[in-house]
C-alpha cells in the first residue's frame, strides 16, 4: 500500500514539489477528512496558556500521537509564524550534520496542498559545511511530513525550512548547527522539532522494562523526566540522560540542536504540555512508543556564548555529596535504564562549579559477600586531563567504570552492593624525578617507552606502599619491568579531592 502511495505522489506532484510519502498511512489521504481531523484534534487540545516560539511534537500515526501533537500546535498557532524551521531525525539515511531538500524543490506537498520552502533561508544554511547531508534523506522520510498538515491549519501560508539531522552528528556539530540556525531567527520565525521518545519492545531491540507490571507508568515516568530536561532548557542534562541510559529517542540529535539553540538564543521557558504512549492508546505494551509535546514561550535573542567557566576551588560539603549522587545516578541510569540521572540534573544541575574543567575518576568497591570472593576493588576508570566540565567528566568516568576492561561489566543487580568513591583531580604537572613525589598527597602518572599508567593519591596509603613500592607497582601496571621507573621515565603528579560514600 505504501509503495502505491509513493508512486501516486510521484505522478501527481507538480515539478519542484516533494510529494507526500506517507499520506494514507500515517494520516488520511482524503483532504476534507484530513482537515477535519486536524481541526478536531486542535479543538480538543483547548486554548493554550501562551503562544509558543518553539515546540517539540511526535511524528507517529495520528491515531496514536495526533492528540499529543495538537496540544503543542495549538500554542504555535497563537504565535502566528510566517516561517517555520522544521527539525527532525533521518530514519532513512546515516550522516553527520543537517540534510536540506534537493535544490530542485521549492515546496512540500500534502493532501491539503503545497507548503512553500523558504529558499533564501535554505540557501543561507546550504553555504555551511554543517548542512551538507544527503538531500535524498528527505525522499521517503515521514518525520517532517507528518507535521505539515498541522502547520497548514495553524499557520497557513507559512514557509518552511526543512532540516533532517543525522544520527552521526557529534556535539561540536550540534553547537555549530544551532549557531547557524540562530542567524535565521526573528519574531516571525518558529521552530518545530519532530521526535518520538522511548521505543520499547522486542521489535525495537530495547526492552529494559520487560516484565514490569506497571510498564505504562514506567514509560511515562522516563518520558516525563527526559522531556522535563528539555523543557528546563538543560542541554547537558538532556544529552547526558539520553546517552547514558541508551534511551531510544529517535530525535535525540535534533532535540540536542534545539536545546543548544534555546540555551544560547532564547529568553523564556518551556513546559511539557502532553505525554502519552502508543500502549495507552492501543492497550498493548509489548511494543510501545512514548510521545511528548513540549512548548517554549518567550522571545528569540542574539546568540550568547557561555560565560567563562570559573576555576575549580575546594568543593563544599554539599557539592561533594552532590557529586557522589551524580556518580551513583549515572551508574543507575546506565545499568537500569531509568531516569535517575535526569532527576539528579533536575535537583542539582545548576551549580557554577559543575562547569569548571577537571579530571575525575570513579571507583567502585564491592561490599558484602561479593568482596569476599572477588576482592574489594570492582572498577576504577576516569579522565586525567581537565578537558571537559566537571559534571561531564564524572558522568564519563562512571560510564567507563561500568565497563572497566579488567573486570566483568557491572550489572544492575550490583547497584545495592557497591560503594562509590569520586576523585576530582587537579591539573597535572611534571616533576624532575621520583624524589619530588609525596606518598598520600600526589597521584602519579608514569610514562616510558610509549607506555603510561596512573595511580590516584589514595592508592599507595590504602595498600601500605612506600614510594618505591608504589612506583614499582605503577611500572608493572604500565606493562614495564618493576624497576623501569628508576631510569628514563617521566613523572607527572596531581592532587585529588577524594569523596567517599559512607565517610
Amino acid at each position: 500500500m505504501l509503495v502505491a502511495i509513493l508512486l501516486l505522489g510521484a505522478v501527481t506532484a507538480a515539478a519542484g514539489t516533494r510529494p507526500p510519502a506517507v499520506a494514507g498511512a500515517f494520516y488520511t489521504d482524503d483532504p476534507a477528512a484530513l482537515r477535519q481531523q486536524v481541526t478536531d484534534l486542535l479543538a480538543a487540545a483547548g486554548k493554550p496558556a501562551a503562544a509558543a516560539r518553539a515546540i517539540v511534537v511526535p511524528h507517529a500515526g495520528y491515531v496514536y500521537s495526533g492528540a499529543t501533537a495538537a496540544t503543542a500546535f495549538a500554542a504555535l498557532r497563537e504565535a502566528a509564524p510566517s516561517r517555520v524551521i522544521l527539525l527532525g531525525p533521518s530514519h532513512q539515511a546515516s550522516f553527520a550534520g543537517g540534510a536540506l531538500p534537493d535544490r530542485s524543490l521549492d515546496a512540500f506537498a500534502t493532501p491539503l496542498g503545497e507548503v512553500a520552502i523558504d529558499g533564501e533561508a535554505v540557501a543561507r544554511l546550504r553555504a555551511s559545511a554543517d548542512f551538507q547531508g544527503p538531500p535524498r534523506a528527505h525522499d521517503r522520510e515521514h518525520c517532517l511530513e507528518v507535521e505539515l498538515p498541522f502547520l497548514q491549519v495553524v499557520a497557513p501560508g507559512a514557509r518552511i525550512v526543512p532540516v533532517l539531522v543525522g544520527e552521526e552528528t557529534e556535539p561540536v556539530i550540534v553547537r555549530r548547527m544551532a549557531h547557524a540556525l540562530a542567524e535565521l531567527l526573528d519574531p516571525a520565525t518558529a521552530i518545530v522539532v519532530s521526535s518520538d521518545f522511548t521505543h520499547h519492545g522486542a521489535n525495537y531491540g530495547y526492552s529494559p522494562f520487560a516484565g514490569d507490571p506497571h510498564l505504562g507508568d514506567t514509560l511515562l515516568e522516563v518520558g516525563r523526566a527526559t522531556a522535563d530536561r528539555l523543557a528546563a532548557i538543560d542541554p547537558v542534562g538532556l544529552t547526558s540522560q539520553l546517552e547514558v541510559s541508551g534511551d531510544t529517542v529517535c530525535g535525540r540529535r535534533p532535540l540536542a540542536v534545539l536545546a543548544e539553540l534555546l540555551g544560547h538564543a532564547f529568553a523564556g521557558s518551556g513546559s511539557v504540555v502532553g505525554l502519552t504512549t502508543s500502549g495507552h492508546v492501543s492497550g498493548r505494551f509489548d511494543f510501545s512508543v512514548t510521545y511528548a509535546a513540549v512548548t517554549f514561550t518567550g522571545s528569540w535573542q542574539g546568540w550568547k556564548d557561555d560565560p567563562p567557566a570559573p576555576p575549580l576551588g575546594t568543593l563544599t560539603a554539599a557539592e561533594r555529596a552532590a557529586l557522589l549522587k551524580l556518580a551513583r545516578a549515572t551508574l543507575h541510569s546506565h545499568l537500569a535504564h531509568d531516569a535517575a540521572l535526569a532527576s539528579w540534573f533536575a535537583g542539582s544541575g545548576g551549580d557554577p562549579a559543575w562547569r569548571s574543567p577537571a579530571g575525575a575518576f570513579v571507583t567502585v568497591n564491592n561490599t558484602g559477600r561479593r568482596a569476599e570472593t572477588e576482592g574489594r576493588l570492582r572498577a576504577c576508570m576516569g579522565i586525567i586531563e581537565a578537558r571537559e566540565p566537571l559534571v561531564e567528566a564524572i558522568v564519563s568516568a562512571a560510564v567507563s567504570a561500568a565497563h572497566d576492561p579488567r573486570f566483568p561489566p557491572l550489572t544492575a543487580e550490583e547497584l545495592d552492593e557497591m560503594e562509590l568513591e569520586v576523585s576530582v583531580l587537579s591539573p597535572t604537572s611534571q616533576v624532575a624525578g621520583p624524589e619530588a613525589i609525596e606518598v598520600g598527597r600526589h597521584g602519579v602518572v608514569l610514562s616510558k617507552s610509549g607506555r603510561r599508567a596512573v595511580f590516584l593519591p589514595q592508592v599507595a596509603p590504602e595498600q601500605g606502599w612506600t614510594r618505591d613500592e608504589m612506583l614499582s607497582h605503577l611500572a608493572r601496571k604500565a606493562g614495564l619491568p618493576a624497576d623501569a621507573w628508576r631510569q628514563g621515565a617521566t613523572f607527572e603528579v596531581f592532587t585529588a579531592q577524594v569523596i567517599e560514600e559512607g565517610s
Side-chain angles (χ1 to χ4, degrees):
M1 181 177 180
L2 182 55
V3 173
I5 293 167
L6 288 168
L7 291 175
L8 177 63
V11 172
T12 59
T17 300
R18 187 262 195 195
V22 294
F26 280 67
Y27 57 91
T28 178
D29 56 0
D30 179 274
L34 177 59
R35 184 173 293 277
Q36 188 63 54
Q37 182 182 23
V38 172
T39 300
D40 289 347
L41 288 169
L42 290 166
K47 185 172 179 59
R53 299 296 172 184
I55 63 172
V56 174
V57 284
H59 53 237
Y62 285 7
V63 67
Y64 294 107
S65 68
T68 301
T71 60
F73 275 110
L76 187 73
R77 177 166 52 188
E78 299 297 308
S82 60
R83 176 169 64 187
V84 175
I85 298 171
L86 282 168
L87 301 177
S90 174
H91 295 84
Q92 307 295 330
S94 181
F95 56 91
L100 299 167
D102 189 84
R103 294 175 185 271
S104 66
L105 297 180
D106 52 29
F108 276 42
T110 79
L112 300 185
E114 295 185 358
V115 184
I117 295 172
D118 187 326
E120 180 183 353
V122 168
R124 289 173 64 181
L125 294 178
R126 207 185 298 280
S128 167
D130 295 317
F131 290 84
Q132 301 302 315
R136 63 178 172 79
H138 285 271
D139 293 350
R140 299 182 60 185
E141 179 56 58
H142 66 278
C143 73
L144 303 186
E145 178 187 329
V146 166
E147 316 305 352
L148 294 180
F150 278 98
L151 279 180
Q152 288 171 298
V153 173
V154 304
R159 297 162 297 152
I160 58 172
V161 182
V163 182
L164 295 175
V165 184
E167 178 60 23
E168 298 174 26
T169 305
E170 297 296 329
V172 64
I173 302 176
V174 165
R175 174 69 66 90
R176 292 201 304 258
M177 289 181 68
H179 202 302
L181 290 169
E183 298 298 319
L184 301 179
L185 298 177
D186 58 37
T189 299
I191 296 178
V192 173
V193 178
S194 179
S195 178
D196 293 340
F197 278 56
T198 304
H199 297 61
H200 190 273
N203 285 2
Y204 299 115
Y206 183 81
S207 50
F209 311 122
D212 184 342
H214 307 291
L215 179 57
D217 292 339
T218 298
L219 292 173
L220 288 177
E221 179 184 348
V222 172
R224 168 70 66 174
T226 304
D228 279 346
R229 288 301 84 219
L230 183 61
I233 311 180
D234 178 8
V236 175
L238 172 70
T239 300
S240 296
Q241 171 63 29
L242 292 178
E243 298 292 338
V244 167
S245 69
D247 196 356
T248 47
V249 175
C250 61
R252 61 180 183 154
R253 302 307 187 207
L255 290 176
V257 173
L258 176 65
E260 289 288 345
L261 189 55
L262 293 167
H264 293 88
F266 184 71
S269 60
S271 178
V272 180
V273 297
L275 185 70
T276 191
T277 75
S278 62
H280 284 90
V281 177
S282 69
R284 293 184 58 187
F285 285 99
D286 50 342
F287 58 94
S288 181
V289 180
T290 303
Y291 309 120
V294 188
T295 61
F296 297 89
T297 61
S299 59
W300 301 118
Q301 308 288 310
W303 182 275
K304 294 182 180 179
D305 288 323
D306 292 326
L312 184 65
T314 301
L315 296 166
T316 66
E319 289 170 338
R320 292 164 68 90
L323 293 180
L324 275 175
K325 290 179 181 178
L326 171 62
R328 184 165 283 278
T330 300
L331 285 171
H332 219 287
S333 284
H334 187 60
L335 300 175
H337 307 283
D338 62 15
L341 187 54
S343 297
W344 183 90
F345 276 98
S348 307
D351 193 318
W354 303 160
R355 295 190 297 108
S356 301
F361 272 68
V362 170
T363 302
V364 181
N365 290 314
N366 280 319
T367 60
R369 288 174 296 176
R370 286 180 181 269
E372 297 173 6
T373 58
E374 301 175 10
R376 180 166 170 76
L377 180 64
R378 183 65 177 84
C380 181
M381 297 289 286
I383 300 164
I384 299 172
E385 297 84 4
R387 60 177 184 237
E388 56 187 326
L390 175 58
V391 159
E392 296 176 51
I394 291 176
V395 169
S396 296
V399 171
S400 295
H403 305 279
D404 188 329
R406 299 170 296 174
F407 304 94
L410 294 174
T411 65
E413 290 71 28
E414 295 179 74
L415 285 167
D416 293 333
E417 300 179 10
M418 61 176 64
E419 188 175 80
L420 303 185
E421 180 180 284
V422 172
S423 300
V424 179
L425 311 188
S426 72
T428 61
S429 58
Q430 189 166 336
V431 293
E435 63 280 355
I437 298 170
E438 298 180 36
V439 174
R441 178 171 180 265
H442 286 152
V444 183
V445 182
L446 180 151
S447 302
K448 184 177 179 180
S449 303
R451 296 180 178 272
R452 196 167 187 246
V454 60
F455 276 152
L456 298 174
Q458 60 268 40
V459 171
E462 288 174 353
Q463 300 298 322
W465 292 335
T466 65
R467 183 192 65 199
D468 290 4
E469 288 171 331
M470 174 187 69
L471 294 176
S472 294
H473 283 282
L474 188 56
R476 284 198 292 265
K477 184 180 179 182
L480 299 166
D483 62 351
W485 61 271
R486 295 184 181 277
Q487 191 171 13
T490 60
F491 305 92
E492 297 170 84
V493 299
F494 57 90
T495 60
Q497 300 184 62
V498 181
I499 317 163
E500 301 173 273
E501 286 186 333
S503 63

